[in-house]
Amino acid sequence: MWIIALVSVVGIVALDLVGGIPAASVGGPMTLFFLFLLAMLAVGAHEAWTNERGTIGWILSLLCALIGGFLGLTFGTVILEAILPRLHLNGPLATAHHPARSIAYAGVMLLTIMGSWLALQIAKRLR
């Protein structure tokens, strides 16, 4: 689980630093969504693999990870929207070459992974 979080955060920050996330088009948000989706699916697959789930267990693990991940992603964007006006960036965060952009992407990724993990832990308790 920690390896998934580390690889996801390092990957999204590295992709941002090398310019792999376009800022002026629809490709930027779609790239971010794809990265968040991959992280959610990785968490769900890891849980299903380590607990040796059957076919239905795999489906439910992936579904729980997606639901929890989207809730974590929503929570992360709400927090980010509350913080952004206090940064005084003089424009949108996507076009600003500010270190807060990488920190924001990493923070939202961590909240997404934590949401997936928490949903899986709740589902595990209910089984």
Side-chain angles (χ1 to χ4, degrees), residues 3 5-6 22-23 25 36 39 46-47 50-51 71 79-80 92 95 101 108-109 117 122 125:
I3 294 173
L6 181 66
S25 68
F36 292 133
H46 176 265
E47 194 274 337
T50 56
N51 292 318
L71 289 174
I79 291 173
L80 185 60
T95 58
R101 185 171 73 178
V108 173
M109 179 64 83
W117 180 78
I122 291 170
R125 294 274 183 198

Side-chain angles (χ1 to χ4, degrees), residues 4 8 12 28-46 61-74 105 108-113 116 120:
I4 294 171
S8 298
I12 200 166
M30 291 298 288
T31 302
L32 290 172
F33 176 74
F34 182 68
L35 293 172
F36 292 133
L37 185 66
L38 281 177
M40 290 180 234
L41 291 174
V43 170
H46 176 265
S61 292
L62 292 175
L63 188 63
C64 283
L66 287 173
I67 291 169
F70 283 122
L71 289 174
L73 182 61
T74 303
Y105 290 162
V108 173
M109 179 64 83
L110 283 175
L111 286 172
T112 302
I113 291 171
S116 291
L120 288 167

Side-chain angles (χ1 to χ4, degrees), residues 79-89 93:
I79 291 173
L80 185 60
E81 288 296 323
I83 293 172
L84 279 179
R86 291 167 178 82
L87 293 177
H88 306 292
L89 295 174
L93 182 64

